Amino acid sequence: MTSSTDQPVFPDTESEQGREFITLFTKSQRRIYLYILSMVPHPLEAEEILQNTNLVIWKKAQQFEAGTNFFAWACQISHYEVLKFRKKRSRDKLQFSDEFVTQVAEAVKENQDIYELRRNALTFCLGKLRKKDRELIQRRYQGSHQGKEVAEDLGRPANSVYQSLGRVRRTLYECINRYIAAESLSHE
């Protein structure tokens, strides 16, 4: 998918392989960003690295083998982009070693499936909550609302809100554990 002038050529949207590549690319953006963010301390730096990673992914689209793990392939590219970014910023005094960053990257890659499973479990379990419980959790964890602020907004005593949040968190915790156990059994 590169021309003789080495300019990136977008995947062919007419071919099944091209459409699959675009789907995988699009679905993986958040995960790739989070992977990069695990190796750099600032979200804006992670976004810059993600953009560089995306350019390389597009340039190398022809090299991706359909049926293989797109996320692992993209992570390898993003890992090199992180190292390049760090090298450019090597004058910064407070930096982790490349070896440490590589170890963190490997740990994140190894645990990515469980993170994704837990995220899916949370989404599923939030959907099973009663509407008022889901709204309470959303009020507390979307944005930077503290429990006291939520209590004031709802016109309820803070202690009552904290007890309700504790009950809903326990419900979510138990639901997530059941979901993960059921998924683990279905893959045996």
Side-chain angles (χ1 to χ4, degrees):
M1 294 191 187
T2 56
S3 67
S4 60
T5 60
D6 200 31
Q7 294 295 315
V9 177
F10 296 108
D12 176 15
T13 57
E14 300 300 314
S15 73
E16 176 136 355
Q17 183 178 358
R19 287 190 302 271
E20 178 186 351
F21 181 87
I22 292 168
T23 299
L24 293 169
F25 176 82
T26 305
K27 284 184 177 180
S28 297
Q29 286 298 291
R30 177 149 176 79
R31 289 175 68 196
I32 295 168
Y33 170 75
L34 292 173
Y35 174 74
I36 293 167
L37 191 58
S38 73
M39 295 180 280
V40 295
H42 303 291
L44 290 176
E45 290 176 350
E47 288 176 16
E48 181 180 335
I49 295 167
L50 176 64
Q51 294 308 314
N52 293 337
T53 298
N54 286 341
L55 288 172
V56 174
I57 288 171
W58 279 115
K59 286 179 183 178
K60 296 185 175 206
Q62 192 71 10
Q63 296 174 19
F64 176 70
E65 296 177 27
T68 61
N69 187 333
F70 180 87
F71 180 70
W73 180 73
C75 282
Q76 191 68 36
I77 292 169
S78 62
H79 180 78
Y80 288 123
E81 290 302 311
V82 167
L83 293 176
K84 280 175 31 181
F85 181 86
R86 288 173 46 76
K87 190 172 186 175
K88 281 196 290 188
R89 299 275 170 100
S90 64
R91 286 179 238 117
D92 293 348
K93 292 181 180 171
L94 297 174
Q95 263 199 28
F96 293 117
S97 70
D98 287 347
E99 294 79 23
F100 176 78
V101 170
T102 298
Q103 287 176 348
V104 169
E106 288 303 315
V108 168
K109 215 179 327 180
E110 288 172 13
N111 292 307
Q112 190 64 35
D113 290 340
I114 190 67
Y115 296 151
E116 188 69 15
L117 177 62
R118 292 187 71 76
R119 189 186 65 74
N120 290 340
L122 178 60
T123 300
F124 172 80
C125 293
L126 282 169
K128 292 188 63 102
L129 289 176
R130 295 182 307 186
K131 183 178 179 186
K132 71 177 194 166
D133 289 341
R134 185 173 45 254
E135 288 173 353
L136 179 64
I137 288 291
Q138 287 172 335
R139 279 178 179 252
R140 170 60 181 92
Y141 293 106
Q142 287 181 343
S144 60
H145 295 98
Q146 298 298 316
K148 288 181 182 178
E149 293 174 73
V150 173
E152 288 173 10
D153 289 348
L154 295 174
R156 290 175 49 190
N159 192 36
S160 166
V161 169
Y162 286 126
Q163 287 177 357
S164 295
L165 284 167
R167 176 185 49 77
V168 175
R169 282 192 293 255
R170 277 189 302 280
T171 300
L172 284 172
Y173 177 78
E174 291 166 3
C175 178
I176 288 169
N177 286 338
R178 283 191 306 271
Y179 182 98
I180 289 172
E183 284 294 311
S184 295
L185 285 175
S186 71
H187 288 98
E188 287 183 359

